[in-house]
Every structure is written in C-alpha cells, then in structure tokens.
Amino acid sequence: MTAPKDIAVTSPAHLSKRSRSEFENGDNPVIQESDRVGAREEESSSDDDIGPALPSSMPKKKRRKLPYEKLYISALPSSSRYSKSLMHKDQVSFVTMTPFTDFLITASIDGVVKFWKKVAVGIEFVKEFRAHAGEIKSVSVSPDGRSFATAGTDKTIKIFDVVTFDLLAMLQLETTPKSICWVHRRGASIPLLAVSGENGHVIDIYDGRGETQVPIRTITSLHRSSVILIAYNNEYDCAISADENGMIEYWRPNGNYEKPDNVFQYKSSTNLFEFKKTKSLPTSITISPSGSQFATFSFPDRKIRVFDFGTGKLHRTYDESLATITDMQQAGTALQKLEDVEFGRRLAVERELENPTLQNRINVIFDESSNFIIYGSILGTKAVNTLTNRVVRVFGKEESFRSLNLALYQGQPQKKGVITISMAASANPLLQEAEERDPMLVSTGSGKVRFYMFTNDEDISKSERDVQNEKPKHLNARQQIEAKPVESGTAAILHTTYGDIHIRLFPEAAPKAVENFVTHSKNGYYNNTIFHRVIRKFMIQCGDPLGDGTGGESIWGKEFEDEFSTLRHDKAYTVSMANAGPNSNGSQFFITTEKTPWLDKKHTIFGRAIQGLDVVHRIENTRVYKEKPEEDIKIVNIDIT
C-alpha cells in the first residue's frame, strides 16, 4: 500500500522495525519511495547472479483493495471545476447538507442564514433569515435532518424547522456560545441540543423545542477547561467533545451522562490523548455516516486524523503542515507541481488560516460509504480512500479559492427500491438509470462571499457560472466605512490562564489603537493566544495569533499609523502597541513592568493596567527560554466595557 504522492501519511504506531509477520498481514501503513528504489536496484543486480535462485524470503505484499471502489467514486462529483457559485452579502462561513430532507443551508459572518432545496438538478433558493446580530460561531443539523440550530456572538441560539424552513425558537444565553450540537437519536420524542460557552467548562443540554430558556441538564464534571467542539454519533447514541486543553471525552446524552458501555473500557487503551501529546487542538470533529469512525482537523500541526469510534484507536493520519507542503514542493513529490509564484501565493493564504476566527470553519467530511474523507488543502479539495491511502479525486485544483467548509450531497435513487451494492455495480442499464444521481460537493472559500458547487456538469462556462444573486455589499466602501460606528471602550479585562488583568483604555489619546484592540477583542481574535515574549523588569508581550512574534494584523488588514499624545511611559503597567518601526502597528501589544522612557514617541500608548498587577508580575517572572515562556500562558478571552 503506497501513500498518495500529494499527502504525507503517518503511521499511528511509529514503529522503527517491521517484522516478517507484519508484511504478511499487510499491517505496514507506509512504504517509503526510497524502499521502492532499493527494491528495484536489488532486482536489477540479481541479473548478474549465476545459478539457481533461492526461494524469496518474503512473499510479495498484496495491495489493499476496496471492493466496489469504482462504484463509490462514481457517486462523487466528476468535474474538477466548480459548475456554479452563489452569493451572500458577506463572507460565507458554514455550509450544511441536511440528511434525509435534502436541504442546503448556508450561513455567513453577518448572521444571515439561507435555505436552499436540492432538486433533480442543482438547488433552488427557498428562504433567508437575519438570524443573528453578529457573527455565527457554530451550526448543527439534527441526525434526522429536521432541526437546524445556529449560535451567534449576540449570545443567542436560533432553532429552525428544516422541512417548513421556519424559525421555531430562540434561546437567550448569559455567555457567548462556543459550540452547539444536536445529541438525540433519529425519531426521538424530545430533541436535545448541547451547548458549550466560551468562558466555562460546562455543557448545557436544552430542550430542542425551545419551550424553556433553562437547560434541562448541566454537565459540570466532564471537562476542566472550555469545551470547543461537540459531535454526536447516532449509531452509538454517544456524544464526543473536545476542550481547549486537547482532551477528548465520550458521553451518553441521557441517564448518567457518562461514557457508554458499547465503546472502549479504558481510555488508556485508546489514542485519544493524541492532541494532548502533540499540543494541538481539533477545530472540527465529523462522525462517519456508518458511525464506525470520526475524523478531525487540528491546529497548529494541520493534521487530519481518522479514529475508530468504538476503540478510540488512531486509524490514519494525513500531514498537511506547511513544512511538509514546502518540502514536497521543493522535492517535486507533490501530485501537482506549482510555479514558484503561484505556490508562494497559496502559501500566503495557508498562513492566513492561523487566524483563530477562521479555524473553526475548516472541516473534514466523509462520503456516504464512510470509506473516503474529503478536505481542503493547498492543492485543492482532496478525496482520499482511507483503506488504500490513495487520493482518488481532487476538486478545484486550478481554482482561485482555498476550500474551508465542505458539505456533500450524493443523492437518492429516483425510483425507490431495494438495490444492493452488487446490483448497482452490475452493467444492467435499467438499474443504472434508476440509480442515476446528481452528486454535489459544496465548498466555502477563504475570505469569499460565495459558496461553490462541484457537480457532474463538465460543460462549464467561466463567464456564466458565478451567479450575481446578491448586490455587492461594498459598492461605496468609503461611505460605508465612514458611516459604520466605531468600536470603542474605556475598560478591558484580560482573562488569562494566570488570572485577570484589568486595563483602562484611552480612546481620546489613541482612537485607532483602541478601536483595533476593542474590535479584535470582541471578535475573539486574541482568544487562546499566548504571551510570546517576556523580559523581566521590562515588559510582557502578546497579541500574536502565530505565537512567535511574526504574525497578526490590524482590523483593517494592513498596518496603521502611530498615535502619539501627552501620555508617556513614565510608570509601570503602561499598555502600548508593539511594532516593527514607525507606523507599523498590527495586533500585538505589550504591558510594561517598569518605567521605560526610551519608548516614548516610538510606541503608541492606548491603556494602563489598574488591577491584577500581581498577575502581570507573575507572568513577568515565569521561566523563559530565549524570551519565550517555557509554559504557554494564554489569553482566554477579553471582555470590553
């Protein structure tokens, strides 16, 4: 079994030696290309041997083969180019295909939700809702495809009836929701909605009918830190959740809310500590249609992992890290060799995905057979056979957008009947006609107001495929920017892993710096970023989403000018913008721990710490290596008043 040329595959076992029995049983997950070269050299040198050859000490390894693979691949869209794109007024963040009810639901960062109905060919617009006053943070569709929920930064959850495309109820929360998920089996009499918040480790279970604003159950002992993801497996009647410390937990959404008996007995026998070990956080968890597996995408290691659900064992790992991508490009081992300029452009887009506000929009999906995973990459959207480890199809490899959030429709037979896989694989033209499908892969693009549809349509006109179904939002961008109310505030509370730091802001002295800081704080830009530079008796620095002092940008997407006033660095606890020279402010800032008069007229002062000064000094005195704390000290989130 060979690894696809355009993805790096890692064995979960990390073995250094391979026994003969492993070769005979087909358990070796990766064969390096160097092994193949060596094998060819040995074969060629054997021509010089004289006399009869000894029997081979190792039987020829059988290549794994997926039965009916061609049938499964034919159920995927065949065109590598998107056939049509439709618009929202703002960036599209989530696309969801509802099971059994065949609706496509799209959501954008301005809080708008649109319903589209899948018809014989393509989709038709049904209804639009202005669901939230702010950004939509999480969406979820129920296992039966009849209920849909959205969670927004306006601290509300909206519940929709999919079939009637009506807004059924609204839940008003005390905190901003982080993740939501329907956690009831198909056909359940009472729908259950699990909700986690940004500032707590609890999971609240609500009546999904919205008849009460109070949760019917609160799970407090499952996690010790903020829960960032929740997913539900209908086959096992089991929920799975992840927290910001990389811990994965299984739990049953009823009864005692503990781990069910139909999965692994001891967590120590699983690979669920993988994220904790690698110091990575999953940004998505997707359950396969069969319920036998789940797939994750994680940062900062950018790896796709496929786990066996029942055992919790790691089945496959695919490496899409920037280092691996760059090495394969330079070595020429990637499936598609890009020109240097194009590769540089795509690499810059990949680096933008480090922004925490984008990470929760990235997902990995399964096809209906659960044998293939589909995910976006620098080379396009890949469909990978997880049994044979081969890329079977790449969508959009020549398109100009980077796929983030994906949804797949593979259709239902037009003539309902009992047709087995072997019957479908046969050459019977009547059966093939009855089984004719209209598969469709839907994708969002990084920073795009459109969502893109890949189908079987090969007759594509580039001039007609981008439908102008919305008026552009920024027809007069300058007037809109001037009319937009400026975000501001007079105080902020930095909730860190070492404690709270209270800051007084000076919007009169540095209006742009305060607007930048306040907007980033409200949008969650600083959430889970670290104090990456600490110098004792000088200052503590933070605000870089990359965590190494090289990243971060302003809310305007470019550097902004310095704002010098009568304020001076004449006392400790001064809050100022970090920069790389005059007028190069982005998102990073620092808090001084001593008088620093040499910084006057060089760094914009926009605040001062007034409480939690002991926290400032505790961070200042932490153990560091080359100015970076040995232990990550994080900003959990920032409250503005």
Side-chain angles (χ1 to χ4, degrees):
M1 175 175 55
T2 60
K5 281 190 175 182
D6 58 335
I7 55 177
V9 185
T10 308
S11 165
H14 306 295
L15 300 181
S16 57
K17 293 184 178 180
R18 302 192 291 269
S19 67
R20 174 176 175 176
S21 62
E22 287 173 332
F23 279 103
E24 294 172 344
N25 294 332
D27 291 331
N28 181 33
V30 178
I31 296 180
Q32 300 293 341
E33 188 65 25
S34 57
D35 295 341
R36 296 183 176 280
V37 174
R40 287 195 292 267
E41 289 176 351
E42 290 178 11
E43 290 170 3
S44 62
S45 63
S46 66
D47 294 338
D48 300 329
D49 296 337
I50 301 176
L54 292 171
S56 174
S57 61
M58 182 175 65
K60 187 176 181 181
K61 187 173 180 290
K62 291 183 178 180
R63 176 182 294 177
R64 289 188 180 184
K65 186 176 180 181
L66 175 66
Y68 308 112
E69 181 182 34
K70 290 184 178 180
L71 179 64
Y72 295 138
I73 294 176
S74 69
L76 296 172
S78 59
S79 176
S80 63
R81 298 163 57 198
Y82 72 87
S83 59
K84 190 176 183 180
S85 75
L86 293 162
M87 297 175 64
H88 276 241
K89 289 183 178 178
D90 215 328
Q91 293 179 29
V92 182
S93 50
F94 299 102
V95 289
T96 306
M97 188 63 70
T98 64
F100 305 108
T101 51
D102 298 345
F103 279 84
L104 172 66
I105 306 176
T106 57
S108 51
I109 63 173
D110 56 357
V112 172
V113 173
K114 291 186 178 184
F115 283 71
W116 314 79
K117 177 63 178 174
K118 183 71 182 73
V119 293
V121 178
I123 59 175
E124 289 183 356
F125 174 73
V126 177
K127 201 169 185 179
E128 175 180 330
F129 293 90
R130 177 65 185 225
H132 297 276
E135 182 180 355
I136 296 175
K137 301 292 289 184
S138 179
V139 301
S140 179
V141 64
S142 62
D144 56 11
R146 301 184 67 86
S147 300
F148 182 75
T150 60
T153 55
D154 57 358
K155 299 182 181 179
T156 65
I157 293 175
K158 300 294 175 66
I159 299 173
F160 300 87
D161 185 294
V162 173
V163 177
T164 62
F165 34 89
D166 278 336
L167 177 61
L168 291 183
M170 179 183 81
L171 299 176
Q172 185 68 54
L173 309 180
E174 295 182 357
T175 61
T176 303
K178 182 72 173 179
S179 179
I180 59 174
C181 180
W182 296 97
V183 289
H184 62 88
R185 268 191 157 155
R186 286 191 287 269
S189 58
I190 300 178
L192 300 176
L193 184 65
V195 180
S196 68
E198 286 194 343
N199 301 327
H201 64 281
V202 303
I203 299 175
D204 291 319
I205 309 295
Y206 286 88
D207 184 332
R209 297 169 297 183
E211 295 181 355
T212 174
Q213 296 288 315
V214 180
I216 60 178
R217 174 79 183 210
T218 298
I219 307 173
T220 59
S221 59
L222 194 63
H223 289 275
R224 295 182 179 180
S225 58
S226 179
V227 179
I228 56 177
L229 289 171
I230 308 172
Y232 175 71
N233 190 326
N234 182 77
E235 306 305 319
Y236 281 80
D237 190 23
C238 176
I240 179 173
S241 53
D243 63 32
E244 61 183 13
N245 286 332
M247 298 300 294
I248 305 291
E249 302 291 347
Y250 283 38
W251 49 281
R252 191 182 295 281
N254 51 57
N256 57 12
Y257 293 85
E258 295 182 353
K259 181 179 70 64
D261 297 331
N262 57 349
V263 296
F264 56 86
Q265 184 176 4
Y266 299 109
K267 196 173 180 181
S268 57
S269 66
T270 72
N271 296 117
L272 298 180
F273 293 105
E274 182 76 9
F275 301 103
K276 186 73 173 177
K277 291 178 181 177
T278 58
K279 295 183 178 180
S280 297
L281 291 181
T283 60
S284 75
I285 298 177
T286 305
I287 309 295
S288 67
S290 66
S292 60
Q293 296 178 317
F294 70 92
T296 66
F297 187 86
S298 58
F299 276 97
D301 62 1
R302 293 175 180 257
K303 289 185 178 180
I304 295 91
R305 294 175 173 87
V306 182
F307 292 83
D308 180 88
F309 192 91
T311 64
K313 293 287 189 180
L314 186 59
H315 175 57
R316 289 283 185 264
T317 300
Y318 301 100
D319 188 356
E320 293 286 345
S321 64
L322 298 185
T324 300
I325 291 170
T326 304
D327 290 345
M328 296 179 79
Q329 169 73 9
Q330 293 175 348
T333 56
L335 182 65
Q336 180 184 4
K337 184 73 165 65
L338 299 173
E339 296 292 333
D340 290 342
V341 174
E342 176 63 12
F343 179 74
R345 183 193 70 80
R346 295 194 183 193
L347 201 61
V349 175
E350 292 295 312
R351 292 194 177 100
E352 291 177 359
L353 302 186
E354 300 288 347
N355 189 330
T357 60
L358 294 178
Q359 292 179 5
N360 71 318
R361 303 178 197 171
I362 303 172
N363 70 341
V364 182
I365 61 175
F366 287 87
D367 79 318
E368 63 182 1
S369 72
S370 302
N371 292 307
F372 300 85
I373 59 171
I374 305 173
Y375 61 89
S377 74
I378 192 173
L379 295 178
T381 302
K382 299 177 183 177
V384 182
N385 183 331
T386 58
L387 179 68
T388 63
N389 266 342
R390 291 185 177 275
V391 176
V392 298
R393 195 154 288 174
V394 180
F395 303 96
K397 60 184 177 181
E398 296 178 355
E399 305 293 357
S400 60
F401 65 91
R402 205 292 192 183
S403 291
L404 295 183
N405 200 256
L406 300 167
L408 180 64
Y409 174 85
Q410 292 187 274
Q412 297 293 332
Q414 293 181 358
K415 299 177 182 178
K416 305 296 182 181
V418 179
I419 299 179
T420 65
I421 293 178
S422 57
M423 290 169 65
S426 69
N428 188 326
L430 295 178
L431 287 176
Q432 291 177 356
E433 181 183 354
E435 287 288 296
E436 190 173 351
R437 298 167 176 254
D438 180 39
M440 181 174 69
L441 176 68
V442 185
S443 172
T444 68
S446 177
K448 302 296 184 182
V449 299
R450 293 182 171 275
F451 62 92
Y452 306 86
M453 293 171 283
F454 296 86
T455 63
N456 286 339
D457 188 2
E458 299 286 352
D459 185 17
I460 299 171
S461 171
K462 282 192 173 183
S463 61
E464 298 177 358
R465 63 179 181 170
D466 296 320
V467 180
Q468 296 292 329
N469 60 299
E470 290 278 8
K471 293 181 180 179
K473 186 176 181 180
H474 304 295
L475 284 176
N476 195 334
R478 178 174 295 180
Q479 289 183 5
Q480 289 198 6
I481 291 172
E482 290 174 354
K484 183 180 179 181
V486 174
E487 293 280 6
S488 188
T490 58
I493 304 176
L494 273 68
H495 300 287
T496 78
T497 50
Y498 273 24
D500 292 349
I501 303 172
H502 295 247
I503 295 174
R504 179 187 299 152
L505 302 176
F506 304 131
E508 296 84 5
K512 295 199 73 171
V514 170
E515 180 187 0
N516 183 67
F517 174 79
V518 168
T519 304
H520 271 332
S521 299
K522 289 184 175 180
N523 290 340
Y525 187 84
Y526 294 125
N527 293 3
N528 294 313
T529 57
I530 65 172
F531 287 85
H532 63 271
R533 186 171 178 235
V534 172
I535 303 177
R536 197 164 175 266
K537 294 188 178 298
F538 179 27
M539 61 90 215
I540 58 176
Q541 186 172 333
C542 54
D544 177 11
L546 299 184
D548 58 7
T550 64
E553 64 178 10
S554 74
I555 60 174
W556 301 283
K558 60 182 180 180
E559 297 173 345
F560 65 95
E561 65 273 13
D562 296 320
E563 297 172 297
F564 299 135
S565 64
T566 57
L567 296 173
R568 296 288 183 268
H569 294 84
D570 54 0
K571 58 184 70 175
Y573 318 119
T574 299
V575 184
S576 302
M577 293 297 300
N579 60 41
N583 304 313
S584 61
N585 300 291
S587 66
Q588 296 185 41
F589 61 96
F590 60 89
I591 305 174
T592 64
T593 58
E594 301 280 343
K595 294 180 182 180
T596 53
W598 63 90
L599 300 181
D600 291 344
K601 301 297 182 181
K602 293 183 179 179
H603 294 270
T604 299
I605 299 172
F606 67 93
R608 278 206 171 94
I610 56 175
Q611 289 184 43
L613 307 182
D614 58 325
V615 177
V616 174
H617 288 298
R618 187 181 170 200
I619 297 173
E620 174 196 22
N621 292 315
T622 191
R623 291 172 61 91
V624 299
Y625 177 71
K626 293 184 178 180
E627 300 181 355
K628 185 175 183 178
E630 294 181 352
E631 174 192 1
D632 283 351
I633 307 170
K634 294 183 178 181
I635 296 175
V636 178
N637 70 308
I638 301 176
D639 288 335
I640 302 294
T641 57

